[in-house]
Amino acid sequence: MKKQIAIAGLLAIILLFSGCVSESPEETTTTITVSAASSLTDAMNDIAAAFEKDNPNVKVELNYAASGALRQQIEGGAPVDVFASASQKHVDLLQGQNLIENASRVTFAKNSLVLIVQAGNPLGIASADDLTNENVVKVSIGNPETAPVGRYAKESLETMGLWGNLEGKTVYGENVRQVLTYLETGDVDAGFVYMTDAKIAKDNTIEVITTIPTVTEISYPVCVLKASEHNDEAQMFVNYLTGETGKQILTDYGFTAK
């Protein structure tokens, strides 16, 4: 009996240790936060999903808003690892405050500005000049203080000598997607958005009238923040965004990939 008990005990110990050996430690997952301009929403969603698939130990949390608002969040100490802006200006401001890893900064995409109207063009708008007509009551642009799309539009309208006549008709959107929504729902007569946003508008809601020349080239820089606690993973994401997969996805959404 004692012999049987001893054998049973030995077997139990062997099973216990064999279980410990076969059990592999869980792999840790690192989460990085990417703050990106609203105009990048659809493309960035796909890029982040592809990145996570190729890098299963890194999770990407995405934060979208107007570039200026995102910059202000970063200046306020928000825990951000990567910043993708729709304007060089906001990354310039962060760089001037020594808040980014300078070597990580790269321009990865370009875009264009277009004038859009409600589907069917009920007011017969053929150019930006027509926005000064009395029957055009509301024209939407992004807030020039925080949304680069608004600054690009305002600069162009000033250059064309139209801003003085249109300022009183202007309805500001917090970001480019809000401007697009105003047109989709018929709340304004016309608006200025990026070409990439016009392409993803709801069916039969808007028409693109013309491309608007911009004073400043519409380009998108990305960088790693100095405050990032996951610098290596953040740089991995930047490299992926600017690599072949990132470029292809950006091109699919209408951006000019750099």
Side-chain angles (χ1 to χ4, degrees), residues 5-255:
I5 293 174
I7 293 172
L10 182 60
L11 287 172
I13 292 171
I14 292 172
L15 287 172
L16 176 63
F17 275 96
S18 65
C20 291
V21 172
S22 63
E23 209 175 89
S24 59
E26 290 186 8
E27 293 182 341
T28 58
T29 299
T30 300
T31 299
I32 61 171
T33 298
V34 176
S35 286
S38 296
S39 55
L40 289 165
T41 300
D42 299 273
M44 196 65 80
N45 284 345
D46 285 0
I47 291 170
F51 175 81
E52 288 180 339
K53 184 178 179 181
D54 290 342
N55 299 275
N57 293 333
V58 184
K59 177 177 173 54
V60 180
E61 288 190 353
L62 295 164
N63 174 38
Y64 297 114
S67 297
L70 296 174
R71 170 182 57 79
Q72 290 169 357
Q73 291 173 11
I74 293 167
E75 290 171 335
V80 176
D81 299 288
V82 176
F83 178 38
S85 172
S87 167
Q88 300 289 341
K89 169 188 173 182
H90 296 293
V91 176
D92 288 343
L93 289 170
L94 293 178
Q95 186 167 350
Q97 298 173 71
N98 199 31
L99 294 177
I100 75 168
E101 296 288 356
N102 294 343
S104 72
R105 180 176 180 172
V106 61
T107 297
F108 66 95
K110 293 183 180 180
N111 213 334
S112 56
L113 185 71
V114 294
L115 169 62
I116 62 173
V117 300
Q118 295 176 21
N121 194 7
L123 300 181
I125 296 169
S127 68
D129 289 334
D130 291 340
L131 299 179
T132 62
N133 295 343
E134 290 184 1
N135 63 343
V136 179
V137 179
K138 294 180 180 180
V139 177
S140 186
I141 70 170
N143 184 338
E145 296 301 317
T146 54
V149 68
R151 182 167 59 87
Y152 294 130
K154 182 181 178 182
E155 286 177 348
S156 295
L157 292 170
E158 286 175 336
T159 300
M160 291 185 281
L162 300 176
W163 180 249
N165 292 323
L166 295 180
E167 189 172 6
K169 300 181 179 184
T170 301
V171 176
Y172 287 147
E174 287 305 308
N175 53 59
V176 68
R177 292 301 170 92
Q178 189 169 54
V179 175
L180 181 62
T181 298
Y182 286 155
L183 267 297
E184 290 175 329
T185 56
D187 291 330
V188 299
D189 301 313
F192 294 88
V193 300
Y194 298 123
M195 176 61 83
T196 51
D197 293 283
K199 287 185 175 183
I200 55 92
K202 295 177 182 177
D203 291 342
N204 303 313
T205 58
I206 68 146
E207 288 185 17
V208 175
I209 298 303
T210 186
T211 299
I212 303 296
T214 57
V215 177
T216 305
E217 181 181 60
I218 302 174
S219 59
Y220 291 70
V222 65
C223 61
V224 174
L225 279 301
K226 275 198 172 180
S228 171
E229 296 181 357
H230 310 291
N231 190 283
D232 290 344
E233 291 82 0
Q235 187 61 56
M236 284 170 56
F237 184 82
V238 170
N239 294 344
Y240 197 87
L241 173 65
T242 57
E244 291 308 310
T245 301
K247 286 180 179 180
Q248 186 58 59
I249 293 172
L250 288 164
T251 301
D252 290 344
Y253 278 97
F255 291 92

